[in-house]
Each structure stands twice: as structure tokens, then as C-alpha cells.
Amino acid sequence: MAKGHRSQIKRERNAQKDTRPSAKLSYARVSVQKACFVLDAVRGKDVHTALAVLEYNPRYASGLVKKLIESAMANAENNLGLNRDNLYIAECYANKGPTMKRIKPRAQGRAYRIEKRTSHITVVLDERK
């Protein structure tokens, strides 16, 4: 059963809003598995170290994650007034997005299905105390 009126539930949910700076990239044309290789390399590091790691990472997703971290840093500085030097990557994860289904013609009239996967990548920063 529900606990209270719908407006009361919404009010309580909005009161618990996360105030940490973050950035999200939706519908990124990279699979979740491939994005997680890059995210695992930078999770928990301070932002300057993470950007240095991503600069020389050869994977395609590293460019996407690098831009995402820079965007989250700008959000922290402009919206919340935080210092860039104290920021670190508190959370980063990739969720599954919609899959585009395509057909690849094969021999003898057959057709193989190709799945072009997408993901939603999120980076949440926090300030070191």
C-alpha cells in the first residue's frame, strides 16, 4: 500500500535529492561492457588523475568519459561553487540503453541480426574533505 498522498510522496522524494555535481550522457553509441572497462579505470580517483589516465587510454569510450568528467567539473564549479582541485569521482556507472537492430545479408539468402548497443553513462563527483 502507498504511504500517504501522491503529492506527499513526491515532496519527500524531492527532499532527498542528491546535491553532488554530476553529468550524464544518454544514448552513447558504445556498449555497457566496453564503457565499464574505462569507468573502472577512473573510479575513485581525483579528477586530474582521471583525465590524465583517459588522455592516453586507446578505447573509444575514454573520449566520451573524458568529456563527461569535464562537464561534471564545470557543473561543480559554476553551479555549486566547489574547488576543482578537491574533486574526485565518487560514482561512475553505465546503464543499458536501447538497442538498434539491423540486418546483415549473408550467403544463400540468409540474414543475420546485428545489434548496435547504446548506453547511458553517468559520472558523479564529490569533494574530498
Side-chain angles (χ1 to χ4, degrees), residues 48-102:
H48 298 296
T49 306
L51 291 174
V53 167
L54 293 173
E55 182 72 33
Y56 296 103
N57 193 329
R59 292 184 176 271
Y60 171 75
S62 62
L64 302 175
V65 174
K66 183 174 181 245
K67 283 182 79 170
L68 208 54
I69 291 173
E70 289 168 349
S71 175
M73 286 170 64
N75 290 340
E77 202 170 20
N78 295 323
N79 300 345
L80 301 174
L82 300 176
N83 187 5
R84 290 174 89 109
D85 298 328
N86 299 338
L87 295 175
Y88 75 101
I89 299 172
E91 292 178 31
C92 57
Y93 52 88
N95 293 328
K96 188 176 164 215
T99 302
M100 298 185 286
K101 290 159 178 95
R102 301 292 182 260

Side-chain angles (χ1 to χ4, degrees), residues 35-49:
C36 281
F37 281 122
V38 175
L39 293 174
D40 290 341
V42 296
R43 187 176 288 116
K45 291 182 169 52
D46 67 284
V47 288
H48 298 296
T49 306

